[in-house]
Amino acid sequence: MTPEEILAAVAEEVKNCTKCPLHLARRKAVPGEGPANAKIMFIGEAPGFHENVQGRPFVGAAGEFLDELLAKAGLKRSEIFITNVVKCRPPGNRDPEPQELAACEPYLDRQIRAIRPKIIVTLGRFSLAKFVPNPKISQMHGKPIRLRGQLIVPMYHPAAALHQPSLRKIVEADFARLPEIIAQAETIEETELAPEPQEGSSKPKPKQLSLF
Ligand code: URA
Ligand code: SF4
């Protein structure tokens, strides 16, 4: 299957998925969207109110703020792939439960394997926790981590930063440095891009880069 076909297949499965209780209250599942050849992937937490209605990621207030942040980084929505660790809205926007994250993870893994992005920007701690156990976002934000030839760039979640002026300044500064990080990622050899490990295999230890 081509990467496009894999993404389409994942989206179709997600729309009909009943693997965790979040399917019970959802209106529309939100598989994610963007080109299969995107160099950068953004991974958020879970659909909120508007995403659940429209079936698209980051279309509410947090999405508007994300668009502003992307503009600061010189990026267009149309060139990035954007999704969430959990594809259905948790009722009342509560945090996703560990078993919901686990049930949904294979979809995200298949998306990452199909796209093979050079850079993965994690939005918020649930997304970062997929790559780094028990992450401290206050210490890790804005600093790329090299993992299997990919750069993981931890960012604060735009929804958290939106109404907190101190966080907002930080996340704006972090996004402003993305072009520099993207240029750095361009130097990662294509051959270094190893596929994601299969489920159940041990994850390699991530290294936080000191360069930045
Ligand atoms: N917040 C997220 O984490 N994801 C969305 O898609 C929307 C808001
Ligand atoms: Fe399936 Fe993920 Fe939705 Fe749960 S959140 S029902 S695992 S698509």
Side-chain angles (χ1 to χ4, degrees):
M1 284 210 286
T2 65
E4 285 83 1
E5 287 168 345
I6 295 169
L7 293 179
V10 169
E12 201 51 38
E13 284 177 51
V14 162
K15 284 177 195 163
N16 300 303
C17 181
T18 56
K19 286 201 301 173
C20 89
L22 292 183
H23 82 275
L24 295 169
R26 78 168 175 232
R27 259 169 82 179
K28 284 190 181 163
V30 182
E33 61 191 30
N37 64 354
K39 286 211 175 82
I40 311 186
M41 191 164 173
F42 283 74
I43 306 177
E45 182 177 318
F49 178 88
H50 295 282
E51 291 77 18
N52 181 52
V53 171
Q54 296 186 37
R56 298 183 54 213
F58 284 96
V59 290
E64 265 177 47
F65 184 41
L66 180 62
D67 285 341
E68 275 179 42
L69 292 168
L70 289 174
K72 275 191 202 307
L75 293 170
K76 293 201 258 323
R77 271 256 191 158
S78 57
E79 63 185 324
I80 63 169
F81 192 91
I82 184 159
T83 188
N84 290 297
V85 282
V86 152
K87 315 296 194 198
C88 303
R89 183 192 184 208
N93 295 350
R94 66 158 169 76
D95 287 349
E97 301 279 352
Q99 62 271 27
E100 294 160 356
L101 288 158
C104 214
E105 192 170 25
Y107 296 125
L108 179 56
D109 286 338
R110 284 160 66 195
Q111 290 171 321
I112 295 172
R113 280 203 297 271
I115 297 166
R116 292 164 57 94
K118 286 205 165 163
I119 299 180
I120 294 176
V121 178
T122 59
L123 303 170
R125 69 197 156 97
F126 286 98
S127 171
L128 180 55
K130 169 166 175 54
F131 304 98
V132 181
N134 307 311
K136 280 244 182 319
I137 187 89
S138 58
Q139 289 166 18
M140 302 181 76
H141 71 87
K143 296 181 198 153
I145 301 157
R146 196 156 173 161
L147 187 63
R148 290 188 293 273
Q150 284 170 322
L151 286 186
I152 312 294
V153 188
M155 296 287 192
Y156 278 108
H157 196 288
L162 191 53
H163 303 294
Q164 248 177 291
S166 57
L167 279 192
R168 191 177 171 127
K169 288 262 175 307
I170 293 173
V171 79
E172 284 173 349
D174 287 345
F175 268 75
R177 288 179 59 239
L178 259 184
E180 191 187 324
I181 295 168
I182 293 166
Q184 172 71 16
E186 297 292 335
T187 67
I188 297 177
E189 290 294 322
E190 197 54 37
T191 50
E192 279 186 64
L193 284 171
E196 286 283 297
Q198 296 300 311
E199 274 157 72
S201 67
S202 64
K203 295 187 178 178
K205 269 219 160 51
K207 251 195 325 195
Q208 188 130 30
L209 289 187
S210 51
L211 267 69
F212 293 96

